[in-house]
Amino acid sequence: MQKNASFKGLTIPLLLLLPQLAITVVFFYWPASQAVWQSFLLQDAFGTSTEFVWFENYQLLFTDPGYLKAFWNTAIFSTFVCVLSLSIALLFAVMADRQIRGAEVYKTLLIWPYAVAPAIAGVLWIFMFDPSLGMLARGLGRLGIAWNPRLNGNDAMTLVILAATWKQISYNFLFFLAGLQSIPKSVIEAAVIDGARPWRRFWTIVFPLLSPTTFFLLVVNIVYVFFDTFGIIDTVTGGGPSGHTETLVYKVYSDGKGGSNLGGSAAQSVVLLIMVIGMTAIQFRFIERRVNY
Amino acid sequence: MAQVTLTNVKKVYPGGVEAVKGVSFDIPDGGFCVLVGPSGCGKSTLLRMVAGLETISAGEVSIGNRVVNQIEPADRDIAMVFQNYALYPHFSVYDNMAYGLRNLGTPKDEIDRRVKEAARILAIEPLLERRPKQLSGGQRQRVAMGRAIVRKPQVFLFDEPLSNLDAKLRVQMRVEIKKLQRALGVTSIYVTHDQVEAMTLSDKLVVMNGGQVEQIGLPSEVYKKPASRFVATFIGSPPMNILPGTIDGPGIVALGDAILEARDLRADLAAGARVEVGLRPEDIEIASEGEAGSLPFDIEFIEELGATQLFHGQLAGLPFIMQAATDTISAQPGRLWISVDPDRVHVFDPATGQRLGL
Ligand SMILES: Nc1ncnc2c1ncn2[C@@H]1O[C@H](COP(=O)(O)OP(=O)(O)OP(=O)(O)O)[C@@H](O)[C@H]1O
Ligand SMILES: [Mg+2]
């Protein structure tokens, strides 16, 4: 079957592409190029004079211990959120796929968190884990576990990881469930008859057949932890205590806030952009090749 | 090798659909049993209960004298070939065939030997490194067969394995399946709704309808003495003609003005009782006007099938089909007088559809 329509000449194709191109240019290329341009500039404290400084902003950035800390924070945060949200979602999806009774209710309940705005999700987690008010924090206290995300950096990191994971599970769950349901039932039945016990069946048949979904979700989740978790971090910890939960994207915001260090902030966003582009490219090159069967 | 016995097997799906309503039969060791019937009659359900993919609501299935109701599919020592082949898309052909043996912990060199042997039997040796998506439908079918035979199971189960192939390949694979089954001597159950496959493959034919068995027997028996009107019209192509008639005396039925002898007819039927008379299109012979037992057939049009011709028309005001070898009759549309061998006249009870024969 022919999938591509073909046009004579260039005018019609260009016209058809125009809206998409316009949107991409206005909302992506233009701000991105502005950021790149900004990252080469240095403004004085009052914003009155601007100087072109080449890579000085970048140099400053990579010698700033706060920035290197943010790198580390991001690595911890994103690894935990991706691994946790993907594996928990996969577990839930496998359970839902078993067609247990009440599966519909179960699915609906699992999907809800995705509809909750990040700020509200953040507030929810603050309440649950607030050292003086939160039910769960008090429960932990009763178990003899000291818990104070306002003072303890690790507690704060745990809290934002949990909140960000919780928020992303529904999304991953939906895709995993769709992925599981698109595996032909007879292939699984063939494996049952071929004597593969559930655990082995999962790792040798189901998981490999799910790999296109997993790969897609991995890309989406990395973009999510790098950029979209800003709202959660901002409401739950505000980057604190003392920068312990400040990730790269959060630092872009806190450094650029109030216009105090626009050049540095722009340089950070360029670094972030390059990292995400780089990681996605690597994923496509090396992983996608292996998931295509 | 093993015999398979089904005793009063029932299946009620959650939600109350009674898909199989008490089926009993057995297949001797090495036998080839074909389940045939219209769509939705419960053939696949029955097969899947033997496989262990569906729970058995009531009754008993045993394989080789062992009741398997509570036994996992993997431990029933069966292999199944699915309609869509159900190959593992991410495995090579080799790995597809080796998977079951690996799950059993068979030594590597033994696996290698058995996979290669199966590949040789099925002529798929050059394909062993390919992925399923790089194969044609017929090749996939062979791989699915290969996956079944490497395990050397006690029973083969087939669920419409040929229905995704084109007509020519279907005939070819049908012959190969039969040969392979003969050579390996493995007890087989084969589900199809294709009556040609059913007739040619089986040594035990089970005709099902609405979750029940209509008739069990050798294919030739089922063809010659269909137990019911349903079986009579289901087996045979084009289907048997059914005409209303009455009992005229022992072994005699009346079709309108014509009197037909039916040698097989039960003798205890009251004269005048209403019956249905079945005549197969291929059993019709040419007669002459006024001859005893001759019927007037008004031909409307003729279909040329190559070796045979189909004559469509009306008999006593009802649609009627007759089949004859090409060139034996040069009939034109119009009236033709026909007759049928008394051994080949089938009579059914109009109320129950049961055969009124001996
Ligand atoms: N999982 C199920 N739940 C409920 N009803 C079912 C289920 N599977 C099959 N049925 C019903 O059971 C009956 C028999 O189905 P089955 O698949 O055995 O038919 P079949 O003879 O194999 O038909 P076909 O030739 O179309 O494959 C049908 O009425 C079907 O709707
Ligand atoms: Mg079926």
Side-chain angles (χ1 to χ4, degrees):
Chain A
M1 207 168 54
Q2 193 176 6
K3 273 190 187 161
N4 304 332
S6 50
F7 298 100
K8 286 211 177 86
L10 268 176
T11 333
I12 293 180
L14 280 180
L15 276 177
L16 289 173
L17 279 175
L18 201 61
Q20 170 75 54
L21 285 176
I23 288 172
T24 315
V25 167
V26 171
F27 291 103
F28 181 73
Y29 287 111
W30 174 245
S33 61
Q34 280 290 301
V36 173
W37 176 241
Q38 279 279 342
S39 72
F40 292 124
L41 302 178
L42 189 64
Q43 277 183 327
D44 69 11
F46 308 103
T48 46
S49 68
T50 308
E51 195 189 341
F52 190 83
V53 294
W54 285 109
F55 292 97
E56 199 184 306
N57 283 327
Y58 291 92
Q59 257 165 12
L60 283 175
L61 210 55
F62 284 102
T63 49
D64 172 11
Y67 191 64
L68 299 179
K69 179 93 178 51
F71 250 103
W72 176 240
N73 287 342
T74 309
I76 303 252
F77 177 69
S78 47
T79 310
F80 272 99
V81 174
C82 281
V83 170
L84 283 178
S85 67
L86 284 171
S87 44
I88 295 173
L90 180 57
L91 181 71
F92 285 172
V94 168
M95 278 155 55
D97 189 46
R98 290 249 183 106
Q99 293 175 339
I100 41 175
R101 205 175 271 256
E104 280 310 314
V105 180
Y106 179 72
K107 274 185 234 170
T108 316
L109 285 177
L110 269 175
I111 290 158
W112 273 356
Y114 197 63
V116 178
I120 297 177
V123 171
L124 201 74
W125 283 80
I126 294 178
F127 272 126
M128 287 196 296
F129 283 98
D130 185 282
S132 45
L133 299 171
M135 301 164 44
L136 291 176
R138 269 192 271 167
L140 283 174
R142 246 178 248 136
L143 291 174
I145 300 167
W147 169 263
N148 194 343
R150 290 214 197 112
L151 300 175
N152 183 318
N154 289 339
D155 289 357
M157 183 54 106
T158 310
L159 189 54
V160 283
I161 286 174
L162 288 180
T165 303
W166 176 79
K167 186 82 178 64
Q168 189 62 4
I169 285 176
S170 346
Y171 183 88
N172 295 347
F173 167 78
L174 276 185
F175 276 87
F176 273 133
L177 189 63
L180 284 172
Q181 297 195 330
S182 71
I183 297 176
K185 206 170 148 232
S186 57
V187 169
I188 305 298
E189 289 174 345
V192 169
I193 291 179
D194 260 344
R197 308 290 158 182
W199 187 249
R200 186 171 157 77
R201 202 156 69 225
F202 179 79
W203 290 112
T204 54
I205 307 289
V206 177
F207 191 68
L209 291 182
L210 215 50
S211 59
T213 308
T214 313
F215 170 68
F216 163 78
L217 284 177
L218 197 60
V219 174
V220 170
N221 277 258
I222 283 177
V223 172
Y224 163 78
V225 286
F226 268 72
F227 295 109
D228 290 350
T229 47
F230 171 83
I232 285 182
I233 294 178
D234 194 42
T235 36
V236 176
T237 62
S242 56
H244 264 289
T245 52
E246 205 167 52
T247 57
L248 289 171
V249 67
Y250 197 80
K251 201 164 162 53
V252 173
Y253 160 78
S254 59
D255 286 7
K257 189 168 60 176
S260 51
N261 184 4
L262 267 186
S265 179
Q268 288 182 26
S269 40
V270 172
V271 171
L272 201 54
L273 188 72
I274 292 171
M275 278 177 59
V276 170
I277 291 175
M279 272 190 292
T280 312
I282 290 172
Q283 285 172 339
F284 270 99
R285 254 187 97 73
F286 296 103
I287 308 184
E288 203 193 24
R289 217 182 271 165
R290 299 184 41 199
V291 300
N292 255 321
Y293 48 78
Chain B
M1 310 300 119
Q3 72 162 37
V4 176
T5 312
L6 282 74
T7 319
N8 206 13
V9 173
K10 288 186 186 154
K11 177 72 190 182
V12 184
Y13 277 111
V17 180
E18 205 179 353
V20 176
K21 303 171 183 165
V23 167
S24 306
F25 61 89
D26 62 280
I27 307 154
D29 186 8
F32 200 128
C33 168
V34 173
L35 302 179
V36 69
S39 187
C41 70
K43 313 178 289 287
S44 297
T45 304
L46 195 57
L47 191 76
R48 291 166 58 80
M49 284 194 284
V50 177
L53 297 173
E54 297 288 352
T55 56
I56 298 164
S57 307
E60 235 175 49
V61 173
S62 55
I63 298 175
N65 299 324
R66 179 174 66 141
V67 176
V68 295
N69 286 35
Q70 301 301 331
I71 292 175
E72 292 286 315
D75 302 324
R76 293 189 183 192
D77 209 358
I78 48 155
M80 184 156 169
V81 178
F82 294 83
Q83 177 172 0
N84 61 3
Y85 317 132
L87 300 177
Y88 311 120
H90 57 306
F91 285 170
S92 67
V93 167
Y94 186 99
D95 291 336
N96 261 282
M97 295 204 273
Y99 187 66
L101 294 173
R102 285 188 186 138
N103 290 336
L104 290 173
T106 314
K108 244 193 159 103
D109 47 340
E110 169 75 3
I111 294 181
D112 193 58
R113 205 179 53 68
R114 274 158 73 168
V115 169
K116 296 230 164 98
E117 189 195 334
R120 187 182 52 72
I121 295 173
L122 292 160
I124 50 173
E125 284 159 304
L127 309 177
L128 284 175
E129 295 313 312
R130 295 216 200 150
R131 293 279 167 93
K133 76 166 179 190
Q134 299 165 314
L135 302 176
S136 71
Q139 290 167 334
R140 283 180 208 176
Q141 169 63 46
R142 280 166 196 276
V143 177
M145 293 285 301
R147 189 168 64 180
I149 66 176
V150 287
R151 299 238 321 274
K152 304 202 161 126
Q154 304 237 23
V155 181
F156 283 148
L157 305 173
F158 300 88
D159 194 352
E160 307 202 22
L162 304 182
S163 56
N164 285 356
L165 301 179
D166 65 53
K168 199 173 155 196
L169 208 50
R170 198 145 61 207
V171 174
Q172 188 189 333
M173 284 307 296
R174 190 174 80 206
V175 175
E176 283 192 38
I177 287 180
K178 182 80 189 173
K179 273 194 200 154
L180 198 62
Q181 194 266 345
R182 283 258 171 85
L184 301 173
V186 177
T187 315
S188 301
I189 309 181
Y190 186 108
V191 163
T192 181
H193 55 241
D194 180 317
Q195 45 137 332
V196 180
E197 271 172 35
M199 292 294 291
T200 51
L201 285 172
S202 60
D203 38 45
K204 184 160 207 166
L205 184 56
V206 177
V207 186
M208 289 183 64
N209 184 27
Q212 272 160 335
V213 169
E214 288 271 336
Q215 188 171 7
I216 302 177
L218 293 171
S220 56
E221 273 171 23
V222 174
Y223 175 81
K224 282 188 199 141
K225 298 203 172 194
S228 66
R229 182 194 148 130
F230 171 82
V231 176
T233 50
F234 191 78
I235 298 290
S237 169
M240 184 186 280
N241 299 294
I242 302 285
L243 302 162
T246 49
I247 300 288
D248 203 54
I252 310 283
V253 287
L255 269 182
D257 299 335
I259 300 295
L260 271 184
E261 203 183 329
R263 206 160 282 158
D264 190 37
L265 188 62
R266 256 165 45 192
D268 58 341
L269 299 162
R274 298 198 158 278
V275 291
E276 282 177 335
V277 179
L279 306 174
R280 290 201 185 274
E282 57 273 31
D283 290 342
I284 313 285
E285 289 158 17
I286 297 177
S288 49
E289 189 172 356
E291 197 178 307
S294 68
L295 304 162
F297 175 36
D298 295 316
I299 299 169
E300 286 164 348
F301 67 97
I302 302 161
E303 273 183 311
E304 302 281 351
L305 301 184
T308 58
Q309 292 174 306
L310 288 185
F311 300 83
H312 296 261
Q314 303 228 332
L315 198 149
L318 292 167
F320 193 88
I321 301 177
M322 145 179 177
Q323 186 177 33
T326 304
D327 297 335
T328 50
I329 313 171
S330 59
Q332 302 298 317
R335 176 155 289 190
L336 182 72
W337 289 89
I338 58 170
S339 67
V340 181
D341 180 342
D343 279 328
R344 296 176 176 230
V345 174
H346 308 272
V347 183
F348 304 102
D349 183 334
T352 63
Q354 293 304 302
R355 180 184 190 85
L356 297 171
L358 299 171

